[in-house]
């Protein structure tokens, strides 16, 4: 307990899924948490739940694609709690029904995806950096994806955007490390969130499970724990990195599963 005691953290997209799990965990570990979400009633409800459990949190509306709204969220955190130490640029995504392969891609969706994932990370970080530097340093954590690490048949916009987030993270780590600002990204694999259930049929989810090295799909709390590590002093010598948390999905060759049938029936034979 108390791994980020007294720190002030902003989490965008913090009212559901991974963001909510991180907000609860950060508060339980002593941080004052500002939950920003497009749905203010959910952000307020999340903050109320944290407060009822003995933590400190406020929930505010934020449109991550609106610069003034995102900057206002950061300013509200500083005016409420007096400082800022941790910025989690977590909001992101794309519409998988429009974000297809290159020839069938909806270009309006491409532009929206880049703005939602990349530009919001730029704007949020620009707003947070002066305050984090003024506080003596801290941590910026950007949510990427394993989709940004390799190619796929679908969601070309999302994968391209998350690849940009990973590279942007390295630039920020390089440019502001001397001011004691660490910047890292996290690349989740498939995580059992409402968004996953809403966008994929059960057979697709089972297929993902089959491609993991571990025999299950991760939970939001698994990513929250990784975010806590990067927010805390335990990662004081870690910056410019992309922490992959995917159950081993990206650890093996694309043909590994097909080669399983070549194994003898009895181990050791």
């Amino acid at each position: 307990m108390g791994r980020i005691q007294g720190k002030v953290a902003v989490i965008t997209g913090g009212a559901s899924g991974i963001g909510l799990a991180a907000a609860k965990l950060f508060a339980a570990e002593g941080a004052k948490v500002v939950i920003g979400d497009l749905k203010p009633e959910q952000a307020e409800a999340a903050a109320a739940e944290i407060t009822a459990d003995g933590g400190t949190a406020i929930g505010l509306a934020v449109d991550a694609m609106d610069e003034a709204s995102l900057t206002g969220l950061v300013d509200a955190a500083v005016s409420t709690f007096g400082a800022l130490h941790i910025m989690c640029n977590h909001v992101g995504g794309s519409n998988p029904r429009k974000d297809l392969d290159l020839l069938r891609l909806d270009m309006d969706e491409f532009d929206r995806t880049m703005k939602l994932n990349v530009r919001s990370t730029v704007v949020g970080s620009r707003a947070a950096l002066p305050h984090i530097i003024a506080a003596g340093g801290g941590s910026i954590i950007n949510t990427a994806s394993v989709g940004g690490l390799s190619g796929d048949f679908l969601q070309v916009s999302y994968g391209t955007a998350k690849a940009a987030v990973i590279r942007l993270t390295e630039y920020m780590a390089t440019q502001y490390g001397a001011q004691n600002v660490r910047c890292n990204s996290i690349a989740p694999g498939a995580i059992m969130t409402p968004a996953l259930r809403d966008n994929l049929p059960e057979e697709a989810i089972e297929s993902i499970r089959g491609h993991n090295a571990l025999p299950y799909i991760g939970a939001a709390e698994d990513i929250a724990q990784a975010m806590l590590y990067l927010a805390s002093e335990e990662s004081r010598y870690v910056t410019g990195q992309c922490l992959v948390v995917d159950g081993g999905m990206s650890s093996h060759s694309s043909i590994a599963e097909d080669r399983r049938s070549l194994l003898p029936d009895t181990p050791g034979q």
Side-chain angles (χ1 to χ4, degrees), residues 18 30 36 45 62 116 141 143 171 201-202 230 258:
I18 293 168
V62 67
L116 178 63
I141 303 164
T143 299
Y171 269 79
E202 185 59 35
L230 292 176
D258 294 335

Side-chain angles (χ1 to χ4, degrees), residues 46-133:
E49 183 180 353
I50 289 171
T51 302
D53 287 339
T56 302
I58 59 172
L60 300 171
V62 67
D63 180 351
M65 292 197 290
D66 182 271
E67 185 168 349
S69 178
L70 199 46
T71 301
L73 177 71
V74 171
D75 290 344
V78 175
S79 64
T80 301
F81 296 122
L84 180 62
H85 308 92
I86 302 160
M87 180 70 189
C88 297
N89 293 301
H90 176 65
V91 70
S94 75
N95 183 343
R97 295 171 182 82
K98 295 182 178 181
D99 187 7
L100 303 170
D101 65 339
L102 195 63
L103 293 180
R104 283 167 283 205
L105 171 65
D106 182 315
M107 287 305 298
D108 288 338
E109 178 61 17
F110 178 84
D111 292 341
R112 191 191 76 87
T113 299
M114 295 301 289
K115 188 174 183 180
L116 178 63
N117 292 271
V118 185
R119 195 174 193 278
S120 71
T121 302
V122 171
V123 172
S125 299
R126 279 166 56 94
L129 267 166
H131 300 295
I132 296 176
I133 292 170

Side-chain angles (χ1 to χ4, degrees), residues 114-230:
M114 295 301 289
K115 188 174 183 180
L116 178 63
N117 292 271
V118 185
R119 195 174 193 278
S120 71
T121 302
V122 171
V123 172
S125 299
R126 279 166 56 94
L129 267 166
H131 300 295
I132 296 176
I133 292 170
S139 177
I140 297 176
I141 303 164
N142 301 322
T143 299
S145 169
V146 292
L149 301 175
S150 60
D152 201 343
F153 286 102
L154 297 171
Q155 290 189 279
V156 63
S157 301
Y158 183 72
T160 301
K162 291 307 188 183
V165 168
I166 293 168
R167 185 66 71 206
L168 172 64
T169 298
E170 295 173 343
Y171 269 79
M172 289 196 290
T174 301
Q175 293 170 358
Y176 299 101
Q179 283 96 336
N180 200 30
V181 178
R182 294 180 295 106
C183 186
N184 295 283
S185 61
I186 295 177
I191 301 298
M192 197 62 76
T193 62
L196 184 75
R197 293 187 183 278
D198 290 345
N199 288 301
L200 290 179
E202 185 59 35
E203 57 269 24
I205 294 174
E206 284 301 315
S207 174
I208 291 171
R209 184 180 286 110
H211 284 284
N212 279 359
L214 296 172
Y216 51 85
I217 292 178
E221 290 74 17
D222 295 315
I223 308 303
Q225 289 286 353
M227 293 170 75
L228 175 62
Y229 166 69
L230 292 176

